[in-house]
Amino acid sequence: MTVDKYLYQKISFFLINFMLVIGFTGVFLSLSGVSIFIEWFLGGSSMNFSLIFLFDSISCFFLSVVLCISANVVWYSKSYMATDPNANRFILLVVGFITSMAILIISPNILSILLGWDGLGLISYGLVIYYPSSKSSSAGMITVLSNRVGDVCILLSIGWFMSVGDFNFSIWALLSNTDFSIWVSFLVMLAAMTKSAQIPFSAWLPAAMAAPTPVSALVHSSTLVTAGVYLLIRFSFILGESCSAFLMFISIMTMFMSGVVAIFEYDFKKIIALSTLSQLGMMMFAISLGLFEVAFFHLLTHALFKALLFLCAGILIHGVGNTQDIRSFGSLSLNFPLVTVCMNLANLSLCGVPFLAGFYSKDLIVELACQYSWGIFILLMMFVCLSLTVLYSVRLTYLSFVSAYGGGSLVSVCETDYSLLAPVVILSFTSLMSGPVLSWLSFSCPTLIFLPTFLKWGALFFVVSSVVIMVSLQRLVYFYMWGTVKKFSGLMWFLPWLTGQWLTLNTLKNADQFLKIYDQGWLEFYSSKGISMGANSMSLFSLKFQHNSLKIHFLVFLVWLFMCLIYIL
Amino acid sequence: MWLSPSLLLMIISIVTSICLVISSPSLFISWIGLELNTLAFLPLLLSKKSKLASEASIKYFLTQTLASVLILVGGLWFLAPWGGLATLTLLLGLSIKLGAAPFHSWVLSIAEASGWVPLFALLTIQKINPLLMLWMFCHLSMPFFYVVVLSSLIMGGLAGLTQTSVRSILTFSSINHVGWLMTALSFSLSVGAYYFLIYLTTLLCSILIFHMFNVSHINQLPLLSFKPSNQMLLFFALLSLGGLPPFLGFLPKWMILQLTVSYSLLLVGGVMISMSLVVLFFYLRLMFSAFMMGGVNLTTLSSDPLPFPVYFVALFSITGGGLSMIYFL
């Protein structure tokens, strides 16, 4: 039971207004090429400390996209969380999350980035453990600890910035002779990798689907995971050759892994999470090629249609009785026509079908990568990942909308709730228009692509052939073969186990030894207990002369006297 | 009791002995002052009228006489051309009189047997004469001086760790303070006098509170009055004695540490600091048992053991009457 009957609507309305203001500011700033710094200068003579907010075209666009998505998500969660008793906690966490993200976006100063970054990590933990079950609790733990590794990296780089002189990295972007060592770029890249769930740290993203669906739509599709990409875009001046090469390798592997795992996955939200992961890999790939503005553009469009995808998923999950297993979906297009349309829109734009949003951003990345490419293996892997994306998207669509219905019988498959549908429709319109609009706003002139014919047709060929392959696989051939591959991919290439149980088991064994033998054993003996025992024994020794015998006292005096006399003489 | 004619005569004799020692031109007159001091103090020890007290007074008399013999012999050796030997024997005798380590063993049994007022006099007033003579004759350049100072500091600290009687704790703390006092005197008379006066004040407050509550053992401390003001008073008095800032007892220690460091006597400074930690530990251990139990509940104000003037003494001895303002200068 909420405090105010119209609380969600009020929050959503406020966010929409804020988004419009920021959106128009962003358009104005991008057209005039101006950046606004708002600075609060604290401190007097000896200590100078300033809090700076940067309103750039990049930050204004990102902030307006985040606000648009969050406004829709808050409106959606009005009816999604209506039956939940802890809805107050939910809305507080969501508002806190949006605030942290806003702080992260508008700060050019690594200290306030840390504020937003840490806030994001903590609040996403609070949101993942929202439902009281052990699965949520372990998912939350792996989320917050993976994010914590990134926090540590940012803290270390703060120390580095302190030695260089200024926390505001927007200044360093303008200078040409920065003496940043390779460690700072490595640390920042590592922080971005943990937040955006690249290969060593990708265990948390599918696990975090234990959160409620609006949370997944807001947090895990568009804002939290894109914070890492945004950090790398802001720190574009710092990425050198070797870091870019490392990042390229990692992002290609992430794309490939998430694509393969998504084909064999049966949890609806996990498939969408893995598709987020593969798109994040695509963004990191673009960054490693040096295409920062294109990566940013893909970030924005992806945020919009991924949030749309999650919201539609929420409606479908509600519809088939709160189960997330895709085997109980099927033939839902008959009962959810509007949701089918929007979800298809989102999926097709994810695949990169021409003239939808994904085409403008993802296809641009692919074509520019063909131009900039680093080797044939990279190109091949990129096309393979493209086709993998199409494969799992088509599988998703087929299994939820086309195939035979596999769920229970006492369900309410209908779409009459307007406060669930309206955000979906709004987001679908926005994501439809966002592709061309953002590309006209971000790029002042179209990019020149100069490619041989087979590379130009390559993307489209891979997309179409993947559609054909998957449809035929679903209809004609049964997926019983490749048992080992299924197991391997089903456990997500054993990454969660590797970073979770195996690591903690070995570490805890060692930690037990350290605690019992060293800390509570020998260290106590040598440092605290030992010193007190030594002091006590010295004191007891000195008390041996305190016996109540005057003769002994005088003997001691005379012995000292004789010793001194002998010394002198 | 202390204004009865016999004890008044003894008190006046002690004051006379101090005047003798201060104003004497030669060592032998000072020796007379020391002897007068010893003899006049004995009835104060015997004021308690028990067998233990008479035993303590005999021990005191014998020890102090031995020390005076050594002082006299040392003084005589000045006339013969044995200068180094003379100062050594003189220092030895004075250390025995002071109760400085390694000649401290006699102080404990006497302290245990005497009442609170004689204990206070033993620990402070009886030290004035030997300290004055120390300032006159012995100097920092003697190696034996260092031996006495360092062993006083260390013995006072470490030997007090296993003590449970309040009197022995105060004894060992005074042995520690003798180390500080001797270093202070070796710099100049005014520094030593300053330290001595503040030591007297802080010790006065602590002993006054112990006397009022009639506490002799660490077992009796949990039975202190339930009023937090009384417990706090004792706590702060002990902390001031131990030399914790912002109390009064920190100021002379700070001064001496600064002098020690500026004269590059770093070993002495280091030992001073570490041993004051140990001393502070056993004060805190005293008060720990007092705070843990909470004490006896006193319901009527009239049976409060602390009369009102104690608070005035405490005010001056703990805060120095606002002397802590010196920190802000």
Side-chain angles (χ1 to χ4, degrees), chain A residues 309-321:
Chain A
L309 202 56
F310 266 110
L311 292 184
C312 298
I315 297 182
L316 293 180
I317 290 172
H318 249 10
V320 291

Side-chain angles (χ1 to χ4, degrees), chain A residues 34 79 164 203 258:
Chain A
V34 170
S79 114
V164 168
S258 55

Side-chain angles (χ1 to χ4, degrees), chain B residues 13-38 68 71-72 75-76 90 97 129 132-133 136-137:
Chain B
S13 302
I14 292 179
V15 174
T16 315
S17 73
I18 296 178
C19 298
L20 261 180
V21 171
I22 286 182
S23 55
S24 70
S26 88
L27 186 137
F28 301 103
I29 311 292
S30 321
W31 177 80
I32 293 178
L34 286 174
E35 285 294 303
L36 183 59
N37 195 6
T38 312
S68 301
I71 291 172
L72 198 58
L76 281 175
L90 200 60
K97 270 220 185 280
N129 284 332
L132 281 170
M133 288 199 68
M136 283 188 244
F137 290 102

